[in-house]
Amino acid sequence: MSINYSGQIPNNVNLADDRRLQRALEAWQPGFLQWWSEMGPESFQGCDVYLRTATSTDAQGWATFGYVKMPDYRWGIFLADPEPDRRISFGQHKGEPVWREVPGEHRGVLRRLIVTQGDTEPASVEQQRHLGRTCPSLYDLRNLFQVNVEEGRHLWAMVYLLHAYFGRDGREEAEALLRRRSGNADNPRILGAFNEKTPDWLSYFMFTHFTDRDGKYQLASLAESGFDPLARTCRFMLTEEAHHLFVGESGVSRVIGCTCQLMKEHNTDRVGEHDGIDLTIIQKYINFHYSVSLDLFGSELSTNAANYYTAGLKGRFKETDRDDDHQLTSSGYAVLKPDHGVIVQTEQPALIALNETLRDSYIADCERALTRWNKVIREAGISFELKLPHRGFRRSIGEFAGVNVTPDGQIVTDEEWQRRTADWMPTRADREFVASLMKPTTAPGQFASWIAPPARGINHQALDFEYVTALPAN
Ligand SMILES: [Fe+2]
Ligand SMILES: [Fe+2]
């Protein structure tokens, strides 16, 4: 469905036909722009950035590319096309037509789901706002800004739902989304991982790989929702999200590639003195970001998750591709738990294990990416294998919260944990070293010492294309 760019708010929801909603969103817009100018990418608002903008929401050709100053980016409301005769595919309403309006009894829960998702979008922009100053290349700088403007658009996506379907409470929530701040002691963002710092580009690539990937799974399960406007909103967000995941996975892969190159060139596994990042440090960053992201799926056993599912609000990843009764009232699911010092597998009712089900889909996806990273190392002829830590490692939520689980899944004493934690988690020295490498590299076609160039440019452009121009003077 093509997008109407003629009004103040680009959209494909016929906003002009709903004057009330249009006015409400136009009243929210200045607050959003104010937030962007305060909390969006620092120092780069005047640059021309080679960005993609959605021009239609069908699978092919939904993007056009061109230079845009970020504050002029056309943030708007884009929903995937409706599926004719779509039916609810799971839960107690399975087989019934999807809802075009919010079912009254689920209003509070749906609003909460939308607000929680919506809150992550501006949070990540806030977390990443200082990174531009230390970009490893113009190509990476442009990708950072693309991700940032699209997270801003994802905020618009959720705010549209709040305004269109939740009346006054929705409008208040939309305002609150602009007031919370990542890491702020008094008014933080809702979820833990979104209050962590993203202090350097290695953290950024890890964040877009592991934490944005949680977003993919949350969006995919909301894309199954019986509340059709939410499902359609999330479907289009997922197509944007794919680029964010690409930035993360390929970014880490390029760091690994560069490290391997330096290892071979200098015949050492300590590449720090050659301004590269050791594989052991990369492993620690993986341990940190993966464990923080696993917590975002919530407790292994959750009656809330069961209720969302039964009510038809939030499905499983690829719900319709699954070959079962889509109600789960009598099936079981394997869940790991700590039990007297060891980790055991238990059988739980599938309905209350839905967070774990979603986490399992996520873990499988992370494993596939890890295999691709290890292939880079193997093909360089280096014997080293990166690993994902055990799912119980360093968790703050659920069955493993407060349990000392090592990366390979052993439960150890507090003392041993303390003694070995520097082997598993980035130390202050590791972080300071990574920070010391973060020097801006802004000549077209140049890349920082610690990262390899990508395989190809954006939108078939050359690697030395000027992806960002009119940079601020230092
Ligand atoms: Fe997003
Ligand atoms: Fe994202």
Side-chain angles (χ1 to χ4, degrees):
M1 210 194 298
S2 69
I3 293 171
N4 180 352
Y5 272 92
S6 65
Q8 191 175 324
I9 300 171
N11 70 91
N12 68 352
V13 294
N14 293 328
L15 196 55
D17 295 349
D18 188 342
R19 298 289 298 159
R20 240 176 89 117
L21 177 60
Q22 186 178 20
R23 274 198 301 274
L25 286 164
E26 284 174 0
W28 184 81
Q29 191 173 33
F32 170 81
L33 292 171
Q34 178 67 27
W35 166 81
W36 179 268
S37 79
E38 275 170 31
M39 299 310 296
E42 191 186 47
S43 316
F44 291 89
Q45 304 279 352
C47 299
D48 296 307
V49 187
Y50 186 67
L51 293 177
R52 70 174 183 183
T53 301
T55 41
S56 81
T57 53
D58 34 13
Q60 292 93 25
W62 61 271
T64 55
F65 285 81
Y67 285 103
V68 180
K69 290 193 194 336
M70 285 183 276
D72 301 333
Y73 183 79
R74 299 299 310 275
W75 285 284
I77 299 158
F78 316 136
L79 273 60
D81 296 350
E83 274 173 40
D85 193 36
R86 184 172 168 244
R87 305 265 155 175
I88 299 171
S89 58
F90 58 95
Q92 65 186 2
H93 300 291
K94 189 183 141 197
E96 296 173 20
V98 290
W99 308 305
R100 311 270 171 219
E101 295 293 334
V102 177
E105 72 270 34
H106 302 314
R107 200 183 159 78
V109 166
L110 262 177
R111 194 183 62 217
R112 194 72 200 150
L113 285 171
I114 292 167
V115 167
T116 306
Q117 178 61 43
D119 193 67
T120 65
E121 315 288 355
S124 66
V125 176
E126 293 165 2
Q127 289 170 295
Q128 296 162 15
R129 70 183 299 253
H130 302 299
L131 289 173
R133 287 188 302 199
T134 56
C135 66
S137 72
L138 288 183
Y139 165 91
D140 290 292
L141 186 63
R142 176 263 166 216
N143 284 349
L144 167 70
F145 294 156
Q146 183 73 60
V147 171
N148 291 159
V149 294
E150 287 177 352
E151 300 304 8
R153 206 208 66 73
H154 292 176
L155 173 60
W156 270 93
M158 294 296 118
V159 163
Y160 160 71
L161 294 173
L162 291 169
H163 271 271
Y165 297 98
F166 294 89
R168 188 183 164 159
D169 310 353
R171 290 193 293 278
E172 282 169 6
E173 292 284 11
E175 290 300 322
L177 283 166
L178 295 176
R179 282 199 303 272
R180 284 187 286 273
R181 290 285 183 271
S182 177
N184 184 297
D186 300 323
N187 196 12
R189 294 293 172 184
I190 295 169
L191 299 172
F194 292 89
N195 288 301
E196 299 277 352
K197 285 195 163 58
T198 309
D200 58 66
W201 279 78
L202 182 58
S203 301
Y204 170 69
F205 291 131
M206 293 285 174
F207 182 96
T208 38
H209 182 75
F210 287 112
T211 307
D212 271 54
R213 192 173 304 275
D214 157 72
K216 167 184 165 181
Y217 282 83
Q218 301 301 336
L219 290 174
S221 54
L222 293 173
E224 303 286 344
S225 183
F227 177 45
D228 202 44
L230 175 61
R232 289 174 53 206
T233 300
C234 290
R235 275 179 199 195
F236 187 64
M237 290 166 76
L238 279 167
T239 67
E240 293 170 312
E241 206 58 53
H243 176 67
H244 308 181
L245 299 179
F246 160 79
V247 168
E249 182 183 334
S250 62
V252 175
S253 180
R254 288 163 51 212
V255 178
I256 294 169
C258 178
T259 299
C260 292
Q261 188 60 40
L262 291 169
M263 286 169 77
K264 286 199 301 188
E265 217 170 286
H266 301 283
N267 195 22
T268 174
D269 19 321
R270 308 292 301 255
V271 296
E273 63 185 88
H274 309 291
D275 291 340
I277 303 175
D278 287 351
L279 292 174
T280 50
I281 295 184
I282 295 173
Q283 176 67 64
K284 292 186 205 179
Y285 271 65
I286 291 173
N287 293 350
F288 174 81
H289 287 272
Y290 178 68
S291 56
V292 166
S293 303
L294 285 182
D295 268 342
L296 291 169
F297 291 85
S299 295
E300 286 76 1
L301 305 177
S302 162
T303 48
N304 277 344
N307 293 339
Y308 301 161
Y309 186 81
T310 302
L313 305 177
K314 185 178 176 186
R316 288 171 293 174
F317 183 65
K318 300 209 161 149
E319 182 68 48
T320 43
D321 294 353
R322 290 172 188 253
D323 190 16
D324 58 27
D325 70 356
H326 302 279
Q327 290 182 319
L328 307 178
T329 42
S330 55
S331 45
Y333 196 82
V335 174
L336 295 181
K337 283 182 168 200
D339 182 20
H340 295 91
V342 287
I343 295 171
V344 296
Q345 183 171 317
T346 65
E347 176 88 350
Q348 302 289 337
L351 207 47
I352 62 165
L354 283 166
N355 285 344
E356 192 65 355
T357 309
L358 193 60
R359 187 163 21 237
D360 278 332
S361 301
Y362 169 85
I363 290 174
D365 205 6
C366 292
E367 295 277 7
R368 286 190 287 273
L370 192 87
T371 304
R372 291 189 286 271
W373 291 343
N374 278 324
K375 187 161 171 250
V376 173
I377 302 175
R378 210 175 48 244
E379 285 179 351
I382 290 165
S383 75
F384 184 96
E385 199 183 341
L386 294 166
K387 294 193 172 86
L388 293 178
H390 190 273
R391 74 178 67 211
F393 174 71
R394 214 179 143 270
R395 291 283 302 283
S396 310
I397 289 176
E399 298 291 331
F400 292 101
V403 182
N404 299 320
V405 181
T406 65
D408 53 10
Q410 305 300 312
I411 297 181
V412 296
T413 60
D414 286 352
E415 192 197 5
E416 186 170 357
W417 176 268
Q418 293 299 343
R419 191 161 48 78
R420 297 178 64 191
T421 186
D423 297 338
W424 301 327
M425 292 290 289
T427 61
R428 177 191 284 233
D430 294 333
R431 290 197 180 276
E432 283 174 359
F433 171 71
V434 171
S436 77
L437 295 181
M438 299 295 127
K439 302 189 185 101
T441 307
T442 54
Q446 274 191 15
F447 290 83
S449 62
W450 51 272
I451 189 166
R456 60 191 66 83
I458 291 293
N459 192 35
H460 312 297
Q461 298 291 359
L463 289 187
D464 62 358
F465 181 72
E466 255 193 290
Y467 290 100
V468 184
T469 69
L471 292 170
N474 276 336

